[in-house]
Amino acid sequence: ALSEEGLDTATVIGVLCGAGGLVLSGFFATRQIAANALAQMNADNEGLSELLATARTLSKSEHPEDVTATAARCALALAAGDAAFVVGREKEETQLLASVGPEADACAGALLEELGDLAASACGEQRAATLSFDRPSGVDAARATAIAVPIPSESTPCAIVVLRMSDGARLFSDRDTDALATLAGIGAVALDNADMQHTQRNFFAHVTDMLVMALDAHVDRRSGHATRVAELANRVARELELDEDTIRRMHFGALLHDLGMLKVAPEHQRIPSHFRKHPAIGARMISPIRMWRDAAPIVLHHHEHYDGSGYPSGLVGEDIPIESRIVLVVDAFDAMTRDDDHRPARPVPEALQELRDGMGTQFDPRVVRAFLEIVQRGEV
């Protein structure tokens, strides 16, 4: 072949080496491309995992403050920034709703108005807005690059702002913008849900207060009874280290425990056959209402006795809801230590002894011991 083509050995070797070099260069280039693609895929997967975890957290958030704080933490991770904020603008005033990151405090002080203007721009145009700063006063960095993404919430118009602080602060990529926009959409739903729950809680709290006031007016010489029972029940529940959901449920149950008395005529309130109906009546009154439904069993069973001698169901021991057992103890204490038409208020030591005497029969011993403990500490 060499003789026929007129090629010498050196030329063939050169061609083969060149081809080998090209193949080797292609291999390394392909390897680098694959490594970059794998790194980007890992970064995208991490971002997706962060978004999913944040979505789960936000779905359980009941307060707007929790939503904005969670959104800021997630934004900082997604965009690899040095500080992240949730910023609102109301009547031309900047409201810093949440901040997180190593540079957050310094930036919030030095750049608050700039952050507010950037957030207002993003909210006004309903799209991401970016800005590069020269060295901000009070911040140790030559450049600051910021991006703001609007949170399209009807209840709390605001924006997520992420800052990158360094001498060569790079611009935000389309991936950064897309990830933050997705976070903003999730945050908007969570903010509206949290605001709705807050409104519902506020409404039901005021309705509860109105019902308690009506009950105080309807039942003679019991003014403030429901409020005092709820306060004492909360103290006992915390002494027993019950969880917050149980305490919140018990608080409404304690406030409304005598609600059924509204349907007992004043002239019948001292007649046992009429009086004993009020737990069942009260439970029926609140059970159709979603916010109070969980409190209905507390109201129904707050006159059950630990030994089964109570009413209306004759439940025994642990079968009685713990909230009802607590309400029974503090209800009895408050009734004994207040003036009544038929008897004057009993001295506190005497009322406490009555609770001790009823341990294991009328009252849950564990609840009585917890109540005595807070009394001994001077909290009652």
Side-chain angles (χ1 to χ4, degrees):
L2 290 176
S3 62
E4 291 175 1
E5 298 294 333
L7 299 175
D8 56 22
T9 302
T11 303
V12 173
I13 292 173
V15 170
L16 292 176
C17 289
L22 287 174
V23 171
L24 192 60
S25 297
F27 168 75
F28 283 116
T30 304
R31 182 180 177 182
Q32 186 60 44
I33 292 172
N36 291 341
L38 185 61
Q40 186 60 57
M41 184 174 67
N42 288 336
D44 291 343
N45 287 338
E46 289 176 2
L48 180 60
S49 297
E50 186 74 29
L51 280 172
L52 291 174
T54 300
R56 286 192 295 270
T57 301
L58 290 178
S59 68
K60 300 175 184 177
S61 298
E62 297 183 356
H63 302 282
E65 296 82 1
D66 296 337
V67 174
T68 53
T70 301
R73 286 194 297 270
C74 183
L76 189 71
L78 287 175
D82 298 301
F85 309 89
V86 177
V87 181
R89 292 278 280 185
E90 185 174 354
K91 297 179 180 180
E92 302 302 318
E93 292 187 3
T94 300
Q95 294 180 314
L96 188 60
L97 304 178
S99 62
V100 66
E103 300 291 339
D105 291 340
C107 293
L111 301 173
L112 186 58
E113 285 306 313
E114 289 87 345
L115 296 175
D117 292 340
L118 186 60
S121 175
C123 291
E125 299 179 10
Q126 283 301 299
R127 61 183 181 87
T130 58
L131 187 65
S132 292
F133 300 94
D134 289 328
R135 183 186 296 273
S137 174
V139 179
D140 187 19
R143 297 287 293 169
T145 303
I147 184 172
V149 178
I151 298 178
S153 167
E154 295 182 2
S155 60
T156 312
C158 53
I160 298 171
V161 182
V162 180
L163 285 176
R164 286 176 178 159
M165 316 290 296
S166 66
D167 290 341
R170 60 187 176 88
L171 297 176
F172 291 88
S173 67
D174 291 340
R175 281 190 174 89
D176 295 327
T177 304
D178 291 343
L180 291 174
T182 301
L183 172 62
I186 297 170
V189 175
L191 270 177
D192 290 338
N193 287 340
D195 182 70
M196 181 178 65
Q197 291 186 53
H198 174 73
T199 301
Q200 289 176 339
R201 285 192 300 270
N202 185 59
F203 171 77
F204 278 99
H206 285 290
V207 170
T208 304
D209 287 342
M210 288 188 289
L211 285 173
V212 169
M213 291 173 63
L215 186 61
D216 284 345
H218 181 72
V219 180
D220 291 339
R221 295 157 300 282
R222 296 297 291 275
S223 179
H225 172 70
T227 304
R228 292 192 298 271
V229 167
E231 180 182 350
L232 292 175
N234 287 343
R235 292 177 182 273
V236 174
R238 295 191 185 282
E239 182 70 20
L240 292 172
E241 298 182 346
L242 301 185
D243 61 83
E244 290 300 319
D245 287 340
T246 300
I247 293 174
R248 182 165 54 247
R249 181 171 62 245
M250 186 197 62
H251 178 75
F252 280 107
L255 284 172
L256 301 172
H257 73 281
D258 280 338
L259 185 64
M261 292 296 291
L262 287 174
K263 290 195 174 184
V264 178
E267 62 271 19
H268 294 155
Q269 291 174 7
R270 298 290 180 180
I271 302 174
S273 61
H274 290 273
F275 176 83
R276 289 166 67 97
K277 294 177 181 178
H278 81 272
I281 294 173
R284 284 198 302 270
M285 288 172 68
I286 68 173
S287 58
I289 302 171
R290 184 177 178 182
M291 287 290 288
W292 289 330
R293 189 175 300 155
D294 290 344
I298 303 170
V299 173
L300 178 63
H301 297 299
H302 78 275
H303 276 294
E304 304 283 1
H305 291 178
Y306 198 70
D307 62 359
S309 62
Y311 59 90
S313 304
L315 299 183
V316 179
E318 300 294 321
D319 291 338
I320 307 169
I322 180 62
E323 303 96 329
S324 298
R325 285 178 265 153
I326 293 172
V327 171
L328 176 65
V329 169
V330 297
D331 180 27
F333 175 80
D334 188 72
M336 286 188 287
T337 54
R338 302 289 164 178
D339 286 329
D340 190 283
D341 264 358
H342 300 277
R343 56 168 175 75
R346 299 170 68 175
V348 169
E350 187 177 322
L352 296 177
Q353 186 58 48
E354 180 101 3
L355 296 181
R356 292 188 189 94
D357 293 342
M359 291 173 65
T361 53
Q362 184 176 359
F363 307 117
D364 179 348
R366 186 165 64 106
V367 174
V368 173
R369 283 193 291 269
F371 184 74
L372 295 175
E373 183 65 29
I374 64 175
V375 170
Q376 188 174 0
R377 292 202 301 266
E379 295 180 21
V380 177

